Amino acid sequence: MNNRVTLDEFIVHSQMNQDNASGEFSGLLRHIGIAAKIVNRIVNKAGLMDIIGLDGNTNSSGDAVQKLDIYANELMIEYLKNSGQCAGVASEELDEFISFSNKIPQKNKYLVVIDPLDGSSNIDVNISVGTIFGIYKRLTSESELLQLEDFLQPGIELVAAGYVLYGTSTMLVYTSGYGVNGFTYDRGIGEFCLSHRDMKIPPSGNHYSINQGYFRQFDTRIQDYLNKCADENMMLRYIGSMVADVHRTLCLGGIFLYPKTKKNPEGKLRMLYECNPMSFVVEQAGGICIDEHGKRIMELPVQTLHQRSSIIIGSVENVNSILPFLN
Ligand code: P6P
């Protein structure tokens, strides 16, 4: 008997068991899953479709924008808008947020923050990239267009968050506050199927993940910690794609760090659509996520759409082991 559970089935079953889940929320999650399937198809054929390569622009964060970035962004926004369950979107690829017109019969309770294609600098060399998303309930009245305050919510207000990893296989991993579950895409049936039920990050791991090339730019406290990792013969693993590096950390245990550098004095990774959603997933899997001052990422105030932060995320024992260096 086929005991496969598809993402859609899992979402519907979860909706029946969770008090905060609603048909609107489930419908929104399902549309994110549909958009991910289409992005997956394009990412897997990117090299054949003259869709790779820089398009000559830069995004609000100053990153060179890949054609696939634009495609993924436009596609995600289209599906979120058509879901009829989303009031608007803030995206890495957009300077400002989008409020979907309430002329369309919209259930305007939820908004989505998204990094449509994270790690895009790896696209041209066929290394894993990902999509990161977070879902909030809006703060303003459903009869109005969204306001900036709806998006500037701390991570603790997230209703759901997750990521899609376009790797050797394509996985969608998400949490709605009741643990973390992973779904692997089965091209044969065109569905994400439950493959990693109730994911838990190991309490410790032997991998540390950081761009060691910036060693000279890191705060001396971070340098001292990295020397400790080397002294303890920990394994350095770094892909340069946050989704891939954090997913490996979630699966094997260990720690991922992106501290402040001279180039990015506030840190490189963005609070809204990178740090907070990934923190929600890792915390729900039993991990910890802090900034380099030891503060819990999900409690930090969010004051601008593209606000950056340092981030240290991973297993309880590994993150706790850096705390003495940060005080
Ligand atoms: P660096 C990708 O561009 C990204 O936003 C994250 O996915 C990744 O963790 C980080 O930047 C890599 O940055 O400076 O090491 O290339």
Side-chain angles (χ1 to χ4, degrees), residues 203-270:
S204 69
N206 191 38
H207 290 94
Y208 68 112
S209 185
I210 190 168
N211 186 335
Q212 191 74 8
Y214 293 132
F215 184 85
R216 298 275 180 258
Q217 296 188 36
F218 294 142
D219 182 295
T220 53
R221 301 168 304 156
I222 300 291
Q223 291 178 346
D224 292 343
Y225 172 73
L226 295 178
N227 289 330
K228 170 182 174 290
C229 292
D231 294 343
E232 293 175 354
N233 299 311
M234 289 182 70
M235 294 292 111
L236 176 60
R237 290 284 185 277
Y238 192 71
I239 300 167
S241 176
M242 184 189 194
V243 171
D245 282 317
V246 173
H247 181 73
R248 182 200 54 249
T249 304
L250 174 61
C251 296
L252 301 181
I255 189 169
F256 169 83
L257 309 90
Y258 205 113
K260 300 175 180 177
T261 61
K262 292 185 178 70
K263 181 180 171 187
N264 287 296
E266 295 306 313
K268 176 179 183 183
L269 301 178
R270 277 50 60 97

Side-chain angles (χ1 to χ4, degrees), residues 13 35 61 126 129 157 196 212 238 242 248 262:
H13 295 161
S61 305
N126 202 17
V129 293
E157 298 302 332
H196 298 66
Q212 191 74 8
Y238 192 71
M242 184 189 194
R248 182 200 54 249
K262 292 185 178 70

Side-chain angles (χ1 to χ4, degrees), residues 35-45 166 170 185 187:
K37 291 180 195 176
I38 299 172
V39 172
N40 173 62
R41 191 181 70 211
I42 296 300
V43 165
N44 287 340
K45 291 195 290 188
Y166 310 100
T170 297
Y185 186 60
R187 287 176 178 75

